[in-house]
Amino acid sequence: MGLGSNSSVRVEWVAAISLAAGAAAVGYLAYTRFLSKDKCCKAMVNLHIQKDNPKVVHAFDMEDLGEKAVYCRCWRSKKFPVCDGSHTKHNDETGDNVGPLIIKRKEA
Ligand code: FES
């Protein structure tokens, strides 16, 4: 084997390593973009309420609602699921526009 043969093998190794590194980079980017849990957590609405439960659910009987009930939809209320006005601070800080769900009886 001559000197040119070693040089040719070295070039092939460099090309193979470059190809493998490129494929790994593309795979990593695809994983972080589509499969990583980090992506899902950045978009979470519920930051603090009952995080140990797989799903936060509240149910109320219509008869128990009284004349008016005001429920939180911003997930920032300290009295969740009842609105405590925390949506105002959230909206001021984030530029969001969320507000409560208000259920009230029709006036007769
Ligand atoms: S505190 Fe969440 S909607 Fe009012």
Side-chain angles (χ1 to χ4, degrees):
M1 282 195 193
L3 187 59
S5 178
N6 280 343
S7 178
S8 173
V9 169
R10 195 175 304 144
V11 168
E12 288 175 5
W13 270 105
V14 168
I17 290 171
S18 297
L19 183 63
V26 169
Y28 175 75
L29 291 173
Y31 170 77
T32 56
R33 175 74 174 92
F34 300 110
L35 300 174
S36 174
K37 287 190 172 191
D38 291 344
K39 179 179 177 271
C40 82
C41 299
K42 290 178 184 171
M44 280 190 176
V45 172
N46 180 9
L47 302 177
H48 308 290
I49 299 165
Q50 298 179 22
K51 294 303 281 185
D52 52 334
N53 287 345
K55 185 187 296 182
V56 178
V57 176
H58 296 92
F60 300 95
D61 290 328
M62 295 297 288
E63 296 79 18
D64 296 338
L65 293 180
E67 292 300 312
K68 181 179 173 185
V70 183
Y71 293 106
C72 177
R73 294 192 300 176
C74 74
W75 291 80
R76 302 300 185 274
S77 174
K78 303 280 187 289
K79 299 177 181 178
F80 195 87
V82 177
C83 173
D84 70 354
S86 295
H87 59 268
T88 303
K89 182 179 177 211
H90 167 77
N91 288 344
D92 288 346
E93 291 175 352
T94 64
D96 210 343
N97 64 347
V98 295
L101 167 67
I102 301 173
I103 301 173
K104 59 185 178 182
R105 295 195 186 282
K106 278 187 179 177
E107 295 178 19

